[in-house]
Amino acid sequence: MAKISQILSILSFIISASMLGGAYFGYKYITSPQLKNRVMNEVLANVQQMMPKMLDNQIPKQTGGSIPLPMK
């Protein structure tokens, strides 16, 4: 029974240490400048692909006259 208890405590330590290590390296990855740059480049690439289509749909071909301002 003592042997089983020792094995379970060693396994528990290994699991806890791996969770702690995974959380540490995950935090370092999420807060790294490389991830920020990669995500920003991907977002900008997607926005650049969408911009010509959006501009064609939204910008009118011809505009009207200006709105007259009331004079006091």
Side-chain angles (χ1 to χ4, degrees), residues 9-45:
S9 94
I10 290 171
L11 286 175
S12 174
F13 173 75
I14 290 171
I15 290 170
S16 296
S18 67
M19 292 286 289
L20 184 64
Y24 173 75
F25 287 113
Y27 174 77
K28 293 300 264 183
Y29 176 71
I30 292 296
T31 59
S32 71
Q34 291 86 4
L35 178 67
K36 180 181 174 185
N37 290 335
R38 195 175 91 208
V39 169
M40 195 63 135
N41 288 337
E42 191 171 321
V43 167
L44 288 176

PDB file of all heavy atoms in Angstrom, residues 9-45:
ATOM      1  N   SER A   9       1.969   9.757  -5.417  1.00  0.00           N
ATOM      2  CA  SER A   9       2.483  11.073  -5.053  1.00  0.00           C
ATOM      3  C   SER A   9       3.506  11.547  -6.081  1.00  0.00           C
ATOM      4  O   SER A   9       3.548  12.738  -6.411  1.00  0.00           O
ATOM      5  CB  SER A   9       3.060  11.067  -3.646  1.00  0.00           C
ATOM      6  OG  SER A   9       4.431  10.844  -3.618  1.00  0.00           O
ATOM      7  N   ILE A  10       4.314  10.661  -6.630  1.00  0.00           N
ATOM      8  CA  ILE A  10       5.282  11.031  -7.670  1.00  0.00           C
ATOM      9  C   ILE A  10       4.534  11.458  -8.933  1.00  0.00           C
ATOM     10  O   ILE A  10       4.872  12.463  -9.557  1.00  0.00           O
ATOM     11  CB  ILE A  10       6.261   9.869  -7.939  1.00  0.00           C
ATOM     12  CG1 ILE A  10       7.197   9.688  -6.755  1.00  0.00           C
ATOM     13  CG2 ILE A  10       7.053  10.121  -9.217  1.00  0.00           C
ATOM     14  CD1 ILE A  10       8.050   8.442  -6.825  1.00  0.00           C
ATOM     15  N   LEU A  11       3.495  10.701  -9.325  1.00  0.00           N
ATOM     16  CA  LEU A  11       2.696  11.068 -10.487  1.00  0.00           C
ATOM     17  C   LEU A  11       2.000  12.412 -10.287  1.00  0.00           C
ATOM     18  O   LEU A  11       1.932  13.234 -11.208  1.00  0.00           O
ATOM     19  CB  LEU A  11       1.662   9.986 -10.787  1.00  0.00           C
ATOM     20  CG  LEU A  11       2.188   8.694 -11.407  1.00  0.00           C
ATOM     21  CD1 LEU A  11       1.059   7.673 -11.529  1.00  0.00           C
ATOM     22  CD2 LEU A  11       2.813   8.970 -12.743  1.00  0.00           C
ATOM     23  N   SER A  12       1.522  12.649  -9.084  1.00  0.00           N
ATOM     24  CA  SER A  12       0.880  13.921  -8.780  1.00  0.00           C
ATOM     25  C   SER A  12       1.873  15.070  -8.909  1.00  0.00           C
ATOM     26  O   SER A  12       1.548  16.134  -9.447  1.00  0.00           O
ATOM     27  CB  SER A  12       0.298  13.887  -7.369  1.00  0.00           C
ATOM     28  OG  SER A  12      -0.213  15.142  -7.011  1.00  0.00           O
ATOM     29  N   PHE A  13       3.093  14.885  -8.445  1.00  0.00           N
ATOM     30  CA  PHE A  13       4.122  15.910  -8.575  1.00  0.00           C
ATOM     31  C   PHE A  13       4.460  16.162 -10.042  1.00  0.00           C
ATOM     32  O   PHE A  13       4.587  17.313 -10.468  1.00  0.00           O
ATOM     33  CB  PHE A  13       5.387  15.508  -7.805  1.00  0.00           C
ATOM     34  CG  PHE A  13       6.522  16.457  -8.046  1.00  0.00           C
ATOM     35  CD1 PHE A  13       6.538  17.707  -7.452  1.00  0.00           C
ATOM     36  CD2 PHE A  13       7.567  16.118  -8.888  1.00  0.00           C
ATOM     37  CE1 PHE A  13       7.568  18.601  -7.680  1.00  0.00           C
ATOM     38  CE2 PHE A  13       8.607  16.993  -9.134  1.00  0.00           C
ATOM     39  CZ  PHE A  13       8.604  18.247  -8.514  1.00  0.00           C
ATOM     40  N   ILE A  14       4.576  15.106 -10.818  1.00  0.00           N
ATOM     41  CA  ILE A  14       4.904  15.254 -12.241  1.00  0.00           C
ATOM     42  C   ILE A  14       3.790  16.024 -12.965  1.00  0.00           C
ATOM     43  O   ILE A  14       4.055  16.918 -13.770  1.00  0.00           O
ATOM     44  CB  ILE A  14       5.157  13.877 -12.888  1.00  0.00           C
ATOM     45  CG1 ILE A  14       6.462  13.283 -12.352  1.00  0.00           C
ATOM     46  CG2 ILE A  14       5.197  13.975 -14.403  1.00  0.00           C
ATOM     47  CD1 ILE A  14       6.706  11.847 -12.749  1.00  0.00           C
ATOM     48  N   ILE A  15       2.550  15.699 -12.676  1.00  0.00           N
ATOM     49  CA  ILE A  15       1.432  16.387 -13.305  1.00  0.00           C
ATOM     50  C   ILE A  15       1.407  17.862 -12.897  1.00  0.00           C
ATOM     51  O   ILE A  15       1.224  18.748 -13.736  1.00  0.00           O
ATOM     52  CB  ILE A  15       0.100  15.684 -12.957  1.00  0.00           C
ATOM     53  CG1 ILE A  15       0.033  14.322 -13.662  1.00  0.00           C
ATOM     54  CG2 ILE A  15      -1.099  16.547 -13.339  1.00  0.00           C
ATOM     55  CD1 ILE A  15      -1.112  13.451 -13.219  1.00  0.00           C
ATOM     56  N   SER A  16       1.615  18.134 -11.621  1.00  0.00           N
ATOM     57  CA  SER A  16       1.620  19.523 -11.152  1.00  0.00           C
ATOM     58  C   SER A  16       2.765  20.310 -11.777  1.00  0.00           C
ATOM     59  O   SER A  16       2.585  21.467 -12.188  1.00  0.00           O
ATOM     60  CB  SER A  16       1.745  19.569  -9.630  1.00  0.00           C
ATOM     61  OG  SER A  16       0.639  18.976  -9.025  1.00  0.00           O
ATOM     62  N   ALA A  17       3.933  19.711 -11.854  1.00  0.00           N
ATOM     63  CA  ALA A  17       5.089  20.401 -12.442  1.00  0.00           C
ATOM     64  C   ALA A  17       4.874  20.658 -13.926  1.00  0.00           C
ATOM     65  O   ALA A  17       5.229  21.730 -14.435  1.00  0.00           O
ATOM     66  CB  ALA A  17       6.352  19.577 -12.217  1.00  0.00           C
ATOM     67  N   SER A  18       4.283  19.697 -14.628  1.00  0.00           N
ATOM     68  CA  SER A  18       4.042  19.905 -16.053  1.00  0.00           C
ATOM     69  C   SER A  18       2.983  20.981 -16.284  1.00  0.00           C
ATOM     70  O   SER A  18       3.090  21.774 -17.221  1.00  0.00           O
ATOM     71  CB  SER A  18       3.642  18.598 -16.731  1.00  0.00           C
ATOM     72  OG  SER A  18       2.392  18.160 -16.261  1.00  0.00           O
ATOM     73  N   MET A  19       1.967  21.058 -15.443  1.00  0.00           N
ATOM     74  CA  MET A  19       0.961  22.117 -15.552  1.00  0.00           C
ATOM     75  C   MET A  19       1.589  23.482 -15.294  1.00  0.00           C
ATOM     76  O   MET A  19       1.307  24.447 -16.007  1.00  0.00           O
ATOM     77  CB  MET A  19      -0.179  21.872 -14.561  1.00  0.00           C
ATOM     78  CG  MET A  19      -1.025  20.672 -14.880  1.00  0.00           C
ATOM     79  SD  MET A  19      -2.099  20.946 -16.269  1.00  0.00           S
ATOM     80  CE  MET A  19      -3.254  22.065 -15.559  1.00  0.00           C
ATOM     81  N   LEU A  20       2.444  23.561 -14.302  1.00  0.00           N
ATOM     82  CA  LEU A  20       3.114  24.819 -13.987  1.00  0.00           C
ATOM     83  C   LEU A  20       4.036  25.238 -15.124  1.00  0.00           C
ATOM     84  O   LEU A  20       4.033  26.402 -15.540  1.00  0.00           O
ATOM     85  CB  LEU A  20       3.900  24.677 -12.688  1.00  0.00           C
ATOM     86  CG  LEU A  20       4.576  25.935 -12.161  1.00  0.00           C
ATOM     87  CD1 LEU A  20       3.538  26.980 -11.809  1.00  0.00           C
ATOM     88  CD2 LEU A  20       5.406  25.593 -10.938  1.00  0.00           C
ATOM     89  N   GLY A  21       4.797  24.308 -15.656  1.00  0.00           N
ATOM     90  CA  GLY A  21       5.682  24.607 -16.778  1.00  0.00           C
ATOM     91  C   GLY A  21       4.908  25.005 -18.019  1.00  0.00           C
ATOM     92  O   GLY A  21       5.275  25.944 -18.725  1.00  0.00           O
ATOM     93  N   GLY A  22       3.830  24.319 -18.296  1.00  0.00           N
ATOM     94  CA  GLY A  22       3.006  24.652 -19.453  1.00  0.00           C
ATOM     95  C   GLY A  22       2.383  26.038 -19.331  1.00  0.00           C
ATOM     96  O   GLY A  22       2.339  26.790 -20.295  1.00  0.00           O
ATOM     97  N   ALA A  23       1.928  26.371 -18.142  1.00  0.00           N
ATOM     98  CA  ALA A  23       1.348  27.695 -17.925  1.00  0.00           C
ATOM     99  C   ALA A  23       2.412  28.776 -18.075  1.00  0.00           C
ATOM    100  O   ALA A  23       2.155  29.830 -18.676  1.00  0.00           O
ATOM    101  CB  ALA A  23       0.714  27.775 -16.540  1.00  0.00           C
ATOM    102  N   TYR A  24       3.597  28.540 -17.575  1.00  0.00           N
ATOM    103  CA  TYR A  24       4.681  29.528 -17.684  1.00  0.00           C
ATOM    104  C   TYR A  24       5.054  29.766 -19.145  1.00  0.00           C
ATOM    105  O   TYR A  24       5.130  30.911 -19.593  1.00  0.00           O
ATOM    106  CB  TYR A  24       5.905  29.051 -16.891  1.00  0.00           C
ATOM    107  CG  TYR A  24       7.109  29.940 -17.085  1.00  0.00           C
ATOM    108  CD1 TYR A  24       7.182  31.174 -16.473  1.00  0.00           C
ATOM    109  CD2 TYR A  24       8.162  29.535 -17.902  1.00  0.00           C
ATOM    110  CE1 TYR A  24       8.281  32.001 -16.665  1.00  0.00           C
ATOM    111  CE2 TYR A  24       9.259  30.356 -18.100  1.00  0.00           C
ATOM    112  CZ  TYR A  24       9.318  31.584 -17.469  1.00  0.00           C
ATOM    113  OH  TYR A  24      10.399  32.390 -17.667  1.00  0.00           O
ATOM    114  N   PHE A  25       5.289  28.692 -19.875  1.00  0.00           N
ATOM    115  CA  PHE A  25       5.694  28.850 -21.273  1.00  0.00           C
ATOM    116  C   PHE A  25       4.540  29.372 -22.133  1.00  0.00           C
ATOM    117  O   PHE A  25       4.763  30.110 -23.096  1.00  0.00           O
ATOM    118  CB  PHE A  25       6.256  27.545 -21.837  1.00  0.00           C
ATOM    119  CG  PHE A  25       7.620  27.235 -21.299  1.00  0.00           C
ATOM    120  CD1 PHE A  25       7.831  26.154 -20.472  1.00  0.00           C
ATOM    121  CD2 PHE A  25       8.706  28.039 -21.606  1.00  0.00           C
ATOM    122  CE1 PHE A  25       9.081  25.872 -19.969  1.00  0.00           C
ATOM    123  CE2 PHE A  25       9.965  27.776 -21.111  1.00  0.00           C
ATOM    124  CZ  PHE A  25      10.153  26.690 -20.283  1.00  0.00           C
ATOM    125  N   GLY A  26       3.307  29.019 -21.808  1.00  0.00           N
ATOM    126  CA  GLY A  26       2.159  29.576 -22.511  1.00  0.00           C
ATOM    127  C   GLY A  26       2.049  31.072 -22.288  1.00  0.00           C
ATOM    128  O   GLY A  26       1.787  31.829 -23.222  1.00  0.00           O
ATOM    129  N   TYR A  27       2.265  31.519 -21.062  1.00  0.00           N
ATOM    130  CA  TYR A  27       2.233  32.952 -20.764  1.00  0.00           C
ATOM    131  C   TYR A  27       3.345  33.681 -21.500  1.00  0.00           C
ATOM    132  O   TYR A  27       3.124  34.755 -22.061  1.00  0.00           O
ATOM    133  CB  TYR A  27       2.364  33.184 -19.251  1.00  0.00           C
ATOM    134  CG  TYR A  27       2.471  34.637 -18.896  1.00  0.00           C
ATOM    135  CD1 TYR A  27       1.348  35.450 -18.898  1.00  0.00           C
ATOM    136  CD2 TYR A  27       3.696  35.207 -18.567  1.00  0.00           C
ATOM    137  CE1 TYR A  27       1.439  36.791 -18.583  1.00  0.00           C
ATOM    138  CE2 TYR A  27       3.802  36.544 -18.250  1.00  0.00           C
ATOM    139  CZ  TYR A  27       2.667  37.333 -18.254  1.00  0.00           C
ATOM    140  OH  TYR A  27       2.772  38.660 -17.958  1.00  0.00           O
ATOM    141  N   LYS A  28       4.535  33.112 -21.508  1.00  0.00           N
ATOM    142  CA  LYS A  28       5.657  33.743 -22.214  1.00  0.00           C
ATOM    143  C   LYS A  28       5.373  33.823 -23.711  1.00  0.00           C
ATOM    144  O   LYS A  28       5.726  34.795 -24.363  1.00  0.00           O
ATOM    145  CB  LYS A  28       6.965  32.974 -21.967  1.00  0.00           C
ATOM    146  CG  LYS A  28       7.459  33.021 -20.547  1.00  0.00           C
ATOM    147  CD  LYS A  28       7.714  34.426 -20.105  1.00  0.00           C
ATOM    148  CE  LYS A  28       9.161  34.766 -20.287  1.00  0.00           C
ATOM    149  NZ  LYS A  28       9.504  36.093 -19.809  1.00  0.00           N
ATOM    150  N   TYR A  29       4.728  32.812 -24.278  1.00  0.00           N
ATOM    151  CA  TYR A  29       4.399  32.801 -25.706  1.00  0.00           C
ATOM    152  C   TYR A  29       3.356  33.857 -26.031  1.00  0.00           C
ATOM    153  O   TYR A  29       3.479  34.594 -27.004  1.00  0.00           O
ATOM    154  CB  TYR A  29       3.911  31.413 -26.123  1.00  0.00           C
ATOM    155  CG  TYR A  29       3.466  31.333 -27.560  1.00  0.00           C
ATOM    156  CD1 TYR A  29       4.395  31.388 -28.587  1.00  0.00           C
ATOM    157  CD2 TYR A  29       2.124  31.222 -27.889  1.00  0.00           C
ATOM    158  CE1 TYR A  29       3.998  31.325 -29.914  1.00  0.00           C
ATOM    159  CE2 TYR A  29       1.723  31.162 -29.208  1.00  0.00           C
ATOM    160  CZ  TYR A  29       2.658  31.214 -30.208  1.00  0.00           C
ATOM    161  OH  TYR A  29       2.257  31.161 -31.510  1.00  0.00           O
ATOM    162  N   ILE A  30       2.323  33.943 -25.199  1.00  0.00           N
ATOM    163  CA  ILE A  30       1.233  34.889 -25.442  1.00  0.00           C
ATOM    164  C   ILE A  30       1.723  36.330 -25.331  1.00  0.00           C
ATOM    165  O   ILE A  30       1.287  37.199 -26.072  1.00  0.00           O
ATOM    166  CB  ILE A  30       0.069  34.633 -24.457  1.00  0.00           C
ATOM    167  CG1 ILE A  30      -0.597  33.295 -24.743  1.00  0.00           C
ATOM    168  CG2 ILE A  30      -0.962  35.747 -24.498  1.00  0.00           C
ATOM    169  CD1 ILE A  30      -1.268  33.198 -26.081  1.00  0.00           C
ATOM    170  N   THR A  31       2.636  36.605 -24.417  1.00  0.00           N
ATOM    171  CA  THR A  31       3.106  37.976 -24.205  1.00  0.00           C
ATOM    172  C   THR A  31       4.343  38.313 -25.025  1.00  0.00           C
ATOM    173  O   THR A  31       4.874  39.412 -24.893  1.00  0.00           O
ATOM    174  CB  THR A  31       3.410  38.215 -22.718  1.00  0.00           C
ATOM    175  OG1 THR A  31       4.406  37.285 -22.281  1.00  0.00           O
ATOM    176  CG2 THR A  31       2.160  38.073 -21.872  1.00  0.00           C
ATOM    177  N   SER A  32       4.775  37.419 -25.898  1.00  0.00           N
ATOM    178  CA  SER A  32       5.997  37.669 -26.672  1.00  0.00           C
ATOM    179  C   SER A  32       5.742  38.656 -27.810  1.00  0.00           C
ATOM    180  O   SER A  32       4.665  38.688 -28.397  1.00  0.00           O
ATOM    181  CB  SER A  32       6.539  36.361 -27.246  1.00  0.00           C
ATOM    182  OG  SER A  32       5.697  35.901 -28.265  1.00  0.00           O
ATOM    183  N   PRO A  33       6.733  39.482 -28.134  1.00  0.00           N
ATOM    184  CA  PRO A  33       6.582  40.409 -29.259  1.00  0.00           C
ATOM    185  C   PRO A  33       6.463  39.691 -30.605  1.00  0.00           C
ATOM    186  O   PRO A  33       5.843  40.216 -31.525  1.00  0.00           O
ATOM    187  CB  PRO A  33       7.855  41.254 -29.222  1.00  0.00           C
ATOM    188  CG  PRO A  33       8.544  40.960 -27.952  1.00  0.00           C
ATOM    189  CD  PRO A  33       7.966  39.701 -27.408  1.00  0.00           C
ATOM    190  N   GLN A  34       7.034  38.508 -30.725  1.00  0.00           N
ATOM    191  CA  GLN A  34       6.948  37.771 -31.980  1.00  0.00           C
ATOM    192  C   GLN A  34       5.498  37.398 -32.286  1.00  0.00           C
ATOM    193  O   GLN A  34       5.059  37.505 -33.432  1.00  0.00           O
ATOM    194  CB  GLN A  34       7.805  36.487 -31.942  1.00  0.00           C
ATOM    195  CG  GLN A  34       9.285  36.722 -31.923  1.00  0.00           C
ATOM    196  CD  GLN A  34       9.841  36.931 -30.517  1.00  0.00           C
ATOM    197  OE1 GLN A  34       9.115  36.819 -29.537  1.00  0.00           O
ATOM    198  NE2 GLN A  34      11.113  37.246 -30.424  1.00  0.00           N
ATOM    199  N   LEU A  35       4.752  36.964 -31.284  1.00  0.00           N
ATOM    200  CA  LEU A  35       3.346  36.620 -31.502  1.00  0.00           C
ATOM    201  C   LEU A  35       2.559  37.873 -31.873  1.00  0.00           C
ATOM    202  O   LEU A  35       1.723  37.837 -32.775  1.00  0.00           O
ATOM    203  CB  LEU A  35       2.744  35.969 -30.262  1.00  0.00           C
ATOM    204  CG  LEU A  35       1.254  35.618 -30.386  1.00  0.00           C
ATOM    205  CD1 LEU A  35       1.047  34.517 -31.407  1.00  0.00           C
ATOM    206  CD2 LEU A  35       0.681  35.218 -29.062  1.00  0.00           C
ATOM    207  N   LYS A  36       2.836  38.971 -31.189  1.00  0.00           N
ATOM    208  CA  LYS A  36       2.145  40.225 -31.498  1.00  0.00           C
ATOM    209  C   LYS A  36       2.406  40.643 -32.944  1.00  0.00           C
ATOM    210  O   LYS A  36       1.475  41.012 -33.668  1.00  0.00           O
ATOM    211  CB  LYS A  36       2.616  41.319 -30.550  1.00  0.00           C
ATOM    212  CG  LYS A  36       1.966  42.646 -30.786  1.00  0.00           C
ATOM    213  CD  LYS A  36       2.504  43.683 -29.831  1.00  0.00           C
ATOM    214  CE  LYS A  36       1.950  45.050 -30.159  1.00  0.00           C
ATOM    215  NZ  LYS A  36       2.527  46.108 -29.345  1.00  0.00           N
ATOM    216  N   ASN A  37       3.652  40.559 -33.386  1.00  0.00           N
ATOM    217  CA  ASN A  37       3.993  40.934 -34.758  1.00  0.00           C
ATOM    218  C   ASN A  37       3.332  40.009 -35.774  1.00  0.00           C
ATOM    219  O   ASN A  37       2.839  40.459 -36.805  1.00  0.00           O
ATOM    220  CB  ASN A  37       5.503  40.932 -34.961  1.00  0.00           C
ATOM    221  CG  ASN A  37       6.177  42.074 -34.230  1.00  0.00           C
ATOM    222  OD1 ASN A  37       5.559  43.093 -33.960  1.00  0.00           O
ATOM    223  ND2 ASN A  37       7.440  41.894 -33.903  1.00  0.00           N
ATOM    224  N   ARG A  38       3.319  38.712 -35.484  1.00  0.00           N
ATOM    225  CA  ARG A  38       2.717  37.749 -36.404  1.00  0.00           C
ATOM    226  C   ARG A  38       1.217  37.986 -36.553  1.00  0.00           C
ATOM    227  O   ARG A  38       0.679  37.985 -37.664  1.00  0.00           O
ATOM    228  CB  ARG A  38       2.988  36.328 -35.920  1.00  0.00           C
ATOM    229  CG  ARG A  38       2.708  35.295 -37.004  1.00  0.00           C
ATOM    230  CD  ARG A  38       3.085  33.917 -36.586  1.00  0.00           C
ATOM    231  NE  ARG A  38       1.896  33.343 -35.964  1.00  0.00           N
ATOM    232  CZ  ARG A  38       1.901  32.413 -35.043  1.00  0.00           C
ATOM    233  NH1 ARG A  38       3.033  31.954 -34.584  1.00  0.00           N
ATOM    234  NH2 ARG A  38       0.792  31.948 -34.545  1.00  0.00           N
ATOM    235  N   VAL A  39       0.538  38.206 -35.428  1.00  0.00           N
ATOM    236  CA  VAL A  39      -0.904  38.447 -35.468  1.00  0.00           C
ATOM    237  C   VAL A  39      -1.197  39.762 -36.181  1.00  0.00           C
ATOM    238  O   VAL A  39      -2.123  39.850 -36.990  1.00  0.00           O
ATOM    239  CB  VAL A  39      -1.489  38.439 -34.036  1.00  0.00           C
ATOM    240  CG1 VAL A  39      -2.912  38.956 -34.021  1.00  0.00           C
ATOM    241  CG2 VAL A  39      -1.436  37.042 -33.455  1.00  0.00           C
ATOM    242  N   MET A  40      -0.387  40.792 -35.895  1.00  0.00           N
ATOM    243  CA  MET A  40      -0.607  42.091 -36.536  1.00  0.00           C
ATOM    244  C   MET A  40      -0.409  41.998 -38.047  1.00  0.00           C
ATOM    245  O   MET A  40      -1.201  42.567 -38.811  1.00  0.00           O
ATOM    246  CB  MET A  40       0.364  43.110 -35.942  1.00  0.00           C
ATOM    247  CG  MET A  40      -0.017  44.501 -36.251  1.00  0.00           C
ATOM    248  SD  MET A  40      -1.588  44.878 -35.507  1.00  0.00           S
ATOM    249  CE  MET A  40      -1.243  46.442 -34.837  1.00  0.00           C
ATOM    250  N   ASN A  41       0.606  41.276 -38.499  1.00  0.00           N
ATOM    251  CA  ASN A  41       0.830  41.103 -39.940  1.00  0.00           C
ATOM    252  C   ASN A  41      -0.323  40.360 -40.595  1.00  0.00           C
ATOM    253  O   ASN A  41      -0.745  40.691 -41.708  1.00  0.00           O
ATOM    254  CB  ASN A  41       2.148  40.385 -40.199  1.00  0.00           C
ATOM    255  CG  ASN A  41       3.345  41.259 -39.912  1.00  0.00           C
ATOM    256  OD1 ASN A  41       3.243  42.487 -39.923  1.00  0.00           O
ATOM    257  ND2 ASN A  41       4.468  40.637 -39.634  1.00  0.00           N
ATOM    258  N   GLU A  42      -0.837  39.361 -39.915  1.00  0.00           N
ATOM    259  CA  GLU A  42      -1.956  38.588 -40.467  1.00  0.00           C
ATOM    260  C   GLU A  42      -3.217  39.448 -40.562  1.00  0.00           C
ATOM    261  O   GLU A  42      -3.921  39.423 -41.570  1.00  0.00           O
ATOM    262  CB  GLU A  42      -2.213  37.369 -39.585  1.00  0.00           C
ATOM    263  CG  GLU A  42      -3.156  36.369 -40.186  1.00  0.00           C
ATOM    264  CD  GLU A  42      -3.217  35.085 -39.388  1.00  0.00           C
ATOM    265  OE1 GLU A  42      -2.175  34.625 -38.898  1.00  0.00           O
ATOM    266  OE2 GLU A  42      -4.340  34.565 -39.254  1.00  0.00           O
ATOM    267  N   VAL A  43      -3.480  40.231 -39.539  1.00  0.00           N
ATOM    268  CA  VAL A  43      -4.653  41.106 -39.549  1.00  0.00           C
ATOM    269  C   VAL A  43      -4.513  42.155 -40.649  1.00  0.00           C
ATOM    270  O   VAL A  43      -5.459  42.413 -41.405  1.00  0.00           O
ATOM    271  CB  VAL A  43      -4.845  41.774 -38.170  1.00  0.00           C
ATOM    272  CG1 VAL A  43      -5.844  42.908 -38.240  1.00  0.00           C
ATOM    273  CG2 VAL A  43      -5.283  40.746 -37.142  1.00  0.00           C
ATOM    274  N   LEU A  44      -3.352  42.775 -40.761  1.00  0.00           N
ATOM    275  CA  LEU A  44      -3.143  43.798 -41.782  1.00  0.00           C
ATOM    276  C   LEU A  44      -3.263  43.220 -43.191  1.00  0.00           C
ATOM    277  O   LEU A  44      -3.788  43.879 -44.087  1.00  0.00           O
ATOM    278  CB  LEU A  44      -1.785  44.473 -41.600  1.00  0.00           C
ATOM    279  CG  LEU A  44      -1.686  45.410 -40.396  1.00  0.00           C
ATOM    280  CD1 LEU A  44      -0.272  45.943 -40.243  1.00  0.00           C
ATOM    281  CD2 LEU A  44      -2.677  46.538 -40.493  1.00  0.00           C
ATOM    282  N   ALA A  45      -2.784  42.006 -43.384  1.00  0.00           N
ATOM    283  CA  ALA A  45      -2.907  41.375 -44.693  1.00  0.00           C
ATOM    284  C   ALA A  45      -4.380  41.158 -45.047  1.00  0.00           C
ATOM    285  O   ALA A  45      -4.798  41.406 -46.182  1.00  0.00           O
ATOM    286  CB  ALA A  45      -2.153  40.053 -44.724  1.00  0.00           C
TER     287      ALA A  45
END
